[in-house]
Amino acid sequence: MERYSVSQLARGRDYGAPHETVCILADVRVNDPARKSVQVWSYGRKRIVNLPRSLIRNHTHEAQHWAAISLPRWLVNKELLWDEPEAAESVDAEPNSERRTAEYVVGRENKYVLRPGQRRSIAAYGGRA
């Protein structure tokens, strides 16, 4: 088992397997089935990025604004997609329910996936509880 310093973990370096699949909450800007990519807003880059449909799996196909999308960890790191948007207080109930559904799917899909800066508990390795 590799050990990392506290400063490395505080900086949020990502030591996961690069081809491991990670599910993210995506702020979708264009989700046209005729296109070869899905355009999402990258909060890390502060611009729209294209995610090729050949590399992703969209768990919420009908989503118009919030979607749960699985993609390789290397692509999440490349496009700086780890940052999630803050919850918006909206009067309209539909976007909030779409976001809650996507957040539920993301939590379910990432149950055993580490995010940058997270560490596994000792109990997960069969050590003391």
Side-chain angles (χ1 to χ4, degrees), residues 37-102:
S37 65
V38 176
Q39 292 184 337
V40 300
W41 182 259
S42 171
Y43 286 88
R45 292 196 184 276
K46 308 249 186 292
R47 64 180 174 93
I48 293 175
V49 295
N50 293 316
L51 302 178
R53 289 189 189 274
S54 62
L55 294 176
I56 68 170
R57 178 176 174 216
N58 190 347
H59 297 281
T60 51
H61 300 290
E62 295 83 23
Q64 297 299 314
H65 188 65
W66 301 106
I69 297 176
S70 290
L71 58 158
R73 185 182 286 267
W74 66 265
L75 185 58
V76 175
N77 291 337
K78 179 183 174 221
E79 299 297 348
L80 302 177
L81 295 171
W82 286 112
D83 295 333
E84 291 184 355
E86 290 90 24
E89 293 88 24
S90 176
V91 178
D92 189 13
E94 187 61 32
N96 285 334
S97 64
E98 186 177 88
R99 182 184 171 118
R100 281 194 304 270
T101 302

